[in-house]
Amino acid sequence: MKKIYSILVENQSGVLAKVAGLFWRRCFNIDSLTVGETEERSVSNMVIVSSGEKKTLEQVEKQLNKKLDIIKVRTFTETQGITRELLLVKLRYNRENRKDIMENCQILGAKILELSKNQMVIEMCDTPERIQMFLDTLKTVSILECARTGTLAMLKLSEGNA
């Protein structure tokens, strides 16, 4: 089972280490972690994606709620939320594969940021699954560098809170 934790925390040094330590002490893997300030500079939003047994995931949520630096914890599944990830990939291309790369970019909504004689930098913002799908289309190309953000997530709108 995969769970997304959207955690509002006080924007102070050491908070990230405390939260990550909670997962580490329980030998629990973090699949993805992103942290950034919210509209208030004193508050950060930490999004953690983790997978494991339902009981363990619930225990982690209870432990998170006990931490003093944590303001609010929301948990939800991938189907209950909107998820996005950013990809930057630098690759080498040639005359034969350039057209295929550009077509894949157009089909999957990726954007070419820079283009030189034999290299290009591509940006894509989409769900983690579509990001992986795009990377799979590049398996035959020489990828020079690849950087992915962690998953950003937010609960979908529902009739009750719209």
Side-chain angles (χ1 to χ4, degrees):
M1 174 181 192
K2 202 169 246 190
K3 196 159 216 168
I4 299 169
Y5 300 89
S6 180
I7 308 164
L8 292 178
V9 298
E10 293 178 14
N11 189 5
Q12 299 176 1
S13 61
V15 175
L16 174 59
K18 289 178 187 177
V19 172
L22 178 80
F23 283 80
W24 174 75
R25 281 191 301 280
R26 284 163 180 66
C27 297
F28 210 58
N29 191 43
I30 293 175
D31 300 332
S32 171
L33 173 84
T34 58
V35 183
E37 288 182 353
T38 65
E39 70 282 2
E40 290 182 46
R41 293 187 62 120
S42 62
V43 178
S44 290
N45 185 16
M46 194 178 289
V47 178
I48 299 172
V49 180
S50 192
S51 50
E53 295 178 25
K54 184 179 178 181
K55 188 176 181 177
T56 311
L57 292 170
E58 289 170 356
Q59 186 63 33
V60 168
E61 182 180 355
K62 289 176 186 173
Q63 293 296 316
L64 286 169
N65 277 307
K66 291 180 182 178
K67 295 279 184 200
L68 292 176
D69 299 326
I70 293 179
I71 299 165
K72 185 174 185 177
V73 178
R74 286 176 287 193
T75 60
F76 47 95
T77 64
E78 290 174 300
T79 56
Q80 295 171 315
I82 299 168
T83 59
R84 291 294 180 269
E85 189 173 301
L86 177 65
L87 166 76
L88 292 175
V89 62
K90 184 188 298 181
L91 49 92
R92 185 179 326 276
Y93 70 91
N94 56 42
R95 190 178 298 174
E96 290 81 36
N97 63 14
R98 181 175 184 250
K99 186 177 178 197
D100 288 338
I101 294 167
M102 293 176 91
E103 284 176 359
N104 285 333
C105 287
Q106 189 173 12
I107 290 167
L108 291 169
K111 182 174 149 184
I112 298 171
L113 298 179
E114 288 191 322
L115 190 63
S116 72
K117 190 174 179 179
N118 62 354
Q119 293 181 15
M120 65 175 75
V121 176
I122 300 170
E123 168 192 74
M124 184 175 180
C125 180
D126 211 322
T127 64
E129 295 78 22
R130 285 184 54 93
I131 296 281
Q132 190 57 53
M133 183 189 313
F134 179 67
L135 283 172
D136 290 343
T137 68
L138 300 176
K139 289 225 190 271
T140 60
V141 179
S142 178
I143 295 177
L144 303 173
E145 194 174 343
C146 181
R148 292 173 78 165
T149 64
T151 301
L152 289 175
M154 184 178 284
L155 270 172
K156 290 180 182 176
L157 296 176
S158 66
E159 295 302 314
N161 65 7

